Amino acid sequence: MTTGNERTLPPEALDEWARAAATRLGLDPDDIDIPLILDLARDVAHGVARPAAPLTAFLAGLAAGRAGGSREAVENAVSDVTDLAKSWSA
């Protein structure tokens, strides 16, 4: 666990946070694909705008949940918005 005002988590702390958050939300921590979500956030932040990254992660999760919540549903939602972000020009 981190202390103070640290804003960057080491990988093991991110894993710990993901497990705790997933458990609190009633999700199986083993279903959380951290690299997939971080790649999505990176692609959206660079292709669209930084504030769009957390919003898009939420939207992808919502879409995946509505599609059944399987790993495949998550991967499909992430793939769809990643493709959109890579082609985005506003």
Side-chain angles (χ1 to χ4, degrees), residues 1-3 6 8-25 27-30 32 34-35 38:
M1 201 174 292
T2 60
T3 59
E6 296 175 19
T8 302
L9 295 175
E12 62 275 4
L14 183 57
D15 292 341
E16 182 180 342
W17 167 251
R19 280 192 304 278
T23 300
R24 176 65 63 97
L25 295 170
L27 303 171
D28 182 348
D30 293 333
I32 310 303
I34 294 172
L38 293 179

Side-chain angles (χ1 to χ4, degrees), residues 6 18 21 34 37-40 45 47-48 51 58 63 66 69 75 77 83 90:
E6 296 175 19
I34 294 172
I37 300 306
L38 293 179
D39 287 348
L40 167 65
V48 181
F58 172 80
R66 288 184 176 172
E75 290 171 354
D83 290 346

Side-chain angles (χ1 to χ4, degrees), residues 66-77:
R66 288 184 176 172
S70 68
R71 183 171 287 272
E72 181 181 9
V74 172
E75 290 171 354
N76 288 340

Side-chain angles (χ1 to χ4, degrees), residues 30-89:
D30 293 333
D31 288 340
I32 310 303
D33 187 340
I34 294 172
L36 179 71
I37 300 306
L38 293 179
D39 287 348
L40 167 65
R42 178 201 62 220
D43 292 342
V44 171
H46 292 156
V48 181
R50 292 184 87 166
L55 172 62
T56 304
F58 172 80
L59 294 173
L62 186 60
R66 288 184 176 172
S70 68
R71 183 171 287 272
E72 181 181 9
V74 172
E75 290 171 354
N76 288 340
V78 168
S79 177
D80 285 347
V81 290
T82 297
D83 290 346
L84 179 62
K86 288 180 177 180
S87 67
W88 188 256
S89 61

